[in-house]
Amino acid sequence: MQLRVVTDQPWVVPADLLVVPIAGEPAWDGPLGEIDRRANGELQALHAFGELRAKRFTSSLAASGAVKASRILTVSVGDPVDLDRETVVHFAAAAAHRLSGRVTSSMAVWLEPLTTLAGGAEAVAMLVARGVVEGGYDPATIYRENVKTAPPILDELILIAPAGADVAGLTAAAVRGQVIGEGANLARTLANRSSNDVSPEVLAEEAWGVAEKHGLWIDVIGPEKATELGMGMFMAVGQGSDNPPRMIVMRSGKKAEKDAAGRHLAIIGKGVCFDSGGISIKPSDRMEEMKMDKTGACTVIAAIATVARLAPGTPLLALAPAVENMPGPHSTRPGDIVKALNGKWVDIINTDAEGRLILGDAMTYAERLGATHLVDVATLTGAVARALGDMVTGAFGNDQAWTDSVLEAGASAGERFWQLPLVDDYLQDMESWYGDITNSSGADGSLVKSGLFLREFATKPWVHLDIAGTGYYRKTKPFAARGASGASHATLVELALAGAQPA
Ligand code: BES
Ligand code: MN
Ligand code: ZN
């Protein structure tokens, strides 16, 4: 997709489609009125008919009359006072997603009505380019070609900036948005691929491919080495499957090198390529969704690739413990006691609470490799999805300053997070007769307890992001196809880039 920034009036830009944001009630006395006049009053007619409502991400197609673009697509963004970065991304994604099954190769987006956003036209250009790329994603094409319902592949995206805008600056911002969108889509494709396709070994091969392409260091640890190192929790989950586990470790920059913010950041993603629950087997209803349980791993692999594209050499570690959680003669049994890499003895009460086991060992290993700050991202609990739904990611942290930095990166990425408390009192329920801690204990406060368990494996500032609700959409959204959403990819990228060398 070619990107072009122009500062012409929206009605003189030739394209297959002109996308017009509608913020609040349409005002016909400004440039929107001029577009309407040139379109022979089509927009006002649609408005009178009841279209162009303020409800976010509703859209209408209109004939364009004397407007140079062949068609007009209005997309509502809701009340302008509520306009935020997430809304801008989703507005653009809704425009691209709206074209599913349509024939279009060039799209022009009129930015001016959005430029009240903090950060102005430059921020809008970045977020719109990212949104168009993300909204044009459709997993229906992963295994099949010529899917007629998929969004068209755009040859050109034209961003129509206000007169006097810094075209070079906006173009650079838009390219950055495009790269972030492409990274999110890479994470989504890896996550959406099925478990018979993407085993831990295949995920490691994909990571090798990414590392080679972007000049990253990579180490893939198999079961023998993991056992020798003492990754008892990681192996307890991985040993139950015929598909052997892989601890994937990727790095940009040098070993333990500090970034411009004085950190050696590690991003760690849960890579359960299929979560049957193991011996504590899950009910069959919706078990197929557990192919998505590798989404955290896919997200960190894609995020380090994106960072390598945008700011090569930025110090960053990515770890993706990849396993299949299966029942079988080699599986861990409820009641098994294993020794974690950090030396703690863990009483595995429930083999379905496996994510925290593989993440705990990966966190310890990240610290051994010199990480000073940790963020893990995981489809960890059904409870977070029940509590916060599919639009808000749950966050936990052991250090408020670090947690605030992660939440700040989330705000600039236009992603929503909600911090949850680590309630020390609940540790009592997690005591074990035989070990230092159990991996699961009753339903009350289970979301908080998942965070408390992980905290046992961090000695450095650490944040846990639970994307079990946000990582994939069960139904199509106006701005996204069904399936993996890419949630938290942009946040991790922003967080890492805060440590990039200033250009
Ligand atoms: N992968 C699941 C969590 C999950 C559930 C993700 C639904 C997406 C949708 C995780 O491994 C799991 O099984 N968690 C258990 C924890 C419990 C056994 C303490 C859960 O949420 O029920
Ligand atoms: Mn599980
Ligand atoms: Zn799981």
Side-chain angles (χ1 to χ4, degrees), residues 76-88:
S76 297
V77 294
D79 195 324
V81 301
D82 297 331
L83 190 77
D84 60 10
R85 297 172 80 92
E86 182 192 69
T87 306
V88 174

Side-chain angles (χ1 to χ4, degrees), residues 275 282 325 352-354:
D275 182 13
K282 287 181 179 295
N325 189 23
D352 198 13
E354 84 296 341

Side-chain angles (χ1 to χ4, degrees), residues 249-268 300 303-304 307 314-319 363 366-367 369-376 402 405-406 409 460-463 465 489 491-500:
V249 187
M250 304 166 82
R251 185 171 59 226
S252 80
K254 294 190 228 20
K255 186 169 184 196
E257 185 188 354
K258 299 270 170 41
D259 65 13
R263 324 163 300 195
H264 189 64
L265 172 62
I267 54 178
I268 303 162
V300 302
I304 196 171
V307 170
T314 301
L316 180 64
L317 256 182
L319 286 90
M363 286 161 61
E367 290 193 8
L369 294 177
T372 62
H373 292 75
L374 313 178
V375 179
D376 80 77
W402 178 234
S405 314
V406 176
K460 298 274 156 57
W462 149 85
V463 168
L465 304 176
H489 169 269
T491 296
L492 296 179
V493 169
E494 291 292 348
L495 185 68
L497 290 180

Side-chain angles (χ1 to χ4, degrees), residues 11 195 208 290 311-312 363 385 427 478:
W11 47 84
S195 301
W208 266 107
M290 288 303 115
M363 286 161 61
L427 275 172

